Each structure stands twice: as C-alpha cells, then as structure tokens.
Amino acid sequence: MRHLMSPLDFSVEELDKLLNLANDIEANPEKYAHACAGKKIATLFYEPSTRTRLSFEAAMLNLGGSVLGFSSADSSSAAKGESVSDTIRVISCYADICAMRHPKEGAPLVASMKSRIPVINAGDGGHQHPTQTLTDLLTIRSLKGRLGNFTIGLCGDLKFGRTVHSLIQALIRYPNVNFVLISPEELRIPDNIRDDVLRKNNQNFKEVVRLEDAMPELDLLYMTRVQKERFFNEEDYVRMKDFYILDSEKLKLAKPDMQILHPLPRVNEISVEVDDDPRAAYFKQVQYGVYVRMALILTLLEVEVC
Ligand code: NCD
C-alpha cells in the first residue's frame, strides 16, 4: 500500500506515468466514469480549504465513487481530543482512501503509519502540499509542453508557502530549471530549502525583492498569497500583505508567452484585470487539479482502466 506525503514519493518515471494518465482522463473522461464505482474517499480537513477538498471530492465523483468527511477540526472528534492516529484507524473502516489536511506538520505522516488505507497529504502546516505540486507539474507540462528548460519566478510568501516548498523539491529533478525567488526580506525561502535542496543539488537560483526586476526573464511566474494564518502577529501580516500586486502595467515587462500560475486562493496579489490576459493560467490550473487527483486516486487504489 502506498501513501503520498511528499512529491518525492514518486520517481520522475512514475510522475510521468501519472501525468500521462491525467492527460488521458482529460481527453477521455467517459472511459473513467465508473472506474471507482463502490469505492469511497474520506476527506479529513482540519484546516479551511475550498479547492483541495472539493477537487478531491469532484475527482472521486467523476470516477463513479463516493465521498465522506469533515471540513473543520471543530466538526470532528478532534474537538473532543481524539488523536489523528485513532481517527485514521476509525476512518480505515469506512473508506478506501483518504486525503488529510492538518495545521501540524507531519500529521498526515503520523496518520499513514496507523492507516489501513492510502493516505494523501493534502497540506500539512507550512511544510508540504504534494497534490498542489502534481497540479502545478501537469499545468506546466500541458501549457509549456515540457518540464525543464525554463526560468520560473516564485513570488510572495516563500517562507510559509507550502506549495512553493513542494514545487521546488519536485522541479529540481528536471533539467535546466532556473529559479528566481522573489520575496520581501522577511518572507524569504527557509534555510533548509535554500541549503539542503537548492545549493546541495547545484541548482541555479537567485533571490530578489522586486518583481519588476525579475519579470523580463521569466517563462513562468508562480504567485502566492501571504499566509495570514501562519503569522504570529497581525501587524506583520498587514505590513506584508500587499507587498506584491501583479497588474497589467507590470505585465508589460513580461514575455508574451509567460504563464502565470497561482495555487489560489488569491487575495490582492493578482489584480482582477490580469484574469483577462491570455497568460493568466490560474483557473486552468484548477481544472488540471481535478484530472491529476483522479489519476492519483486510480494509481493509489491500483485501479487499471483499459
Ligand atoms: C494553497 C494551500 O492550501 O497551501 N491552497 C491550495 O491548496 N490551493 C495555497 C494557499 O492557501 O495559499
């Protein structure tokens, strides 16, 4: 039985297979419409979510399966003091697979150790968000036609943004990826990612503060929101929250085929006028997220569709 805790749990070859499956699902959805009939996914969300939880649920429904779960810690037995280890033992009796989001780093890993069903990490604190990374990889590969040989700007809250941490770890396995890390001083990428992931693997990267300085060389721009819920005080958040606002004026500096990604939710960091720009890919990215989660569910449940 396999779980998904980090994007590195799959080899590059396995990832290719998964992304190919997602592309086939996109092209032939009817072929997969009953692939998981009789199967259930439990979505255990101890932290707020719209996209991730609903996209897991939509993915399972698209495969002909069913869904159950909870969407906040308050509405689960966690409010009574139950541990994730006990919760997962219980859920193992109800469902065939589960997706867990938790504010504590490592909680899904703890759950996976006691689980009788595959556990998918749907975001653990500021740590990892592997299914967002699968979504990002599928989006990049579909829109750019390749994984590798590009310059990607990662902009915003690089300190607390788990999607960025997972994406960097995944992308260093592809050839010739140049990283431009764009953040205010206070929200720079954590030391462990800079030293143990980027430097240790001899990756080409630079850190800059001004988005305008980086823009002209980017093939991809990955915007992120400032992670309000992980700040220790409101004042720091208020000071940081509007540090970057991507608007049409700044986009004039970008390549005509640069793609703009964002894991969403967006707050103020992308002005709504940008939504109409052909380079805005963040709503397409949401759709890719459903296909890739369908592919992931099939893979972890070892369901083959001929
Ligand atoms: C991201 C997350 O939860 O980390 N959202 C998502 O799952 N699409 C990004 C965010 O919350 O900023």
Side-chain angles (χ1 to χ4, degrees), residues 196-250:
D196 301 342
V197 180
L198 292 166
R199 286 211 176 109
K200 202 165 158 190
N201 291 287
N202 297 317
Q203 290 296 308
N204 209 342
F205 78 95
K206 63 181 173 194
E207 297 185 80
V208 302
V209 174
R210 274 171 47 89
L211 175 58
E212 293 85 334
D213 295 343
M215 194 80 93
E217 63 176 311
L218 303 180
D219 300 304
L220 292 154
L221 172 58
Y222 193 94
M223 294 295 294
T224 62
R225 99 188 142 88
V226 176
Q227 305 280 299
K228 179 178 184 192
E229 66 278 31
R230 309 211 194 282
F231 273 71
F232 293 113
N233 70 65
E234 175 85 13
E235 259 166 59
D236 286 347
Y237 170 69
V238 169
R239 208 159 35 80
M240 291 288 111
K241 74 181 176 57
D242 293 329
F243 201 93
Y244 298 109
I245 300 181
L246 179 65
D247 56 18
S248 303
E249 201 47 43
K250 291 200 188 89

Side-chain angles (χ1 to χ4, degrees), residues 51-52 101 129 132 162-163 225 227 229 262-265:
R51 255 150 310 279
T52 307
R101 168 168 289 189
H129 193 345
Q132 182 63 46
R162 56 192 171 195
T163 61
R225 99 188 142 88
Q227 305 280 299
E229 66 278 31
H262 191 310
L264 303 178

Side-chain angles (χ1 to χ4, degrees), residues 274-304:
V274 173
D275 298 357
D276 296 326
D277 190 293
R279 292 168 285 192
Y282 31 94
F283 291 115
K284 290 183 206 156
Q285 202 176 344
V286 176
Q287 183 65 64
Y288 286 122
V290 179
Y291 300 136
V292 95
R293 288 185 176 94
M294 289 171 75
L296 178 65
I297 292 170
L298 290 172
T299 305
L300 294 181
L301 288 179
E302 298 178 11
V303 176
E304 300 256 356

Side-chain angles (χ1 to χ4, degrees), residues 45 85 112 121 131 251 276 290-291:
F45 277 60
S85 305
S112 72
N121 176 4
T131 63
L251 263 182
D276 296 326
V290 179
Y291 300 136

Side-chain angles (χ1 to χ4, degrees), residues 90-103:
V90 171
I91 301 297
S92 295
C93 303
Y94 302 154
D96 302 282
I97 186 166
C98 89
M100 178 184 282
R101 168 168 289 189
H102 203 286

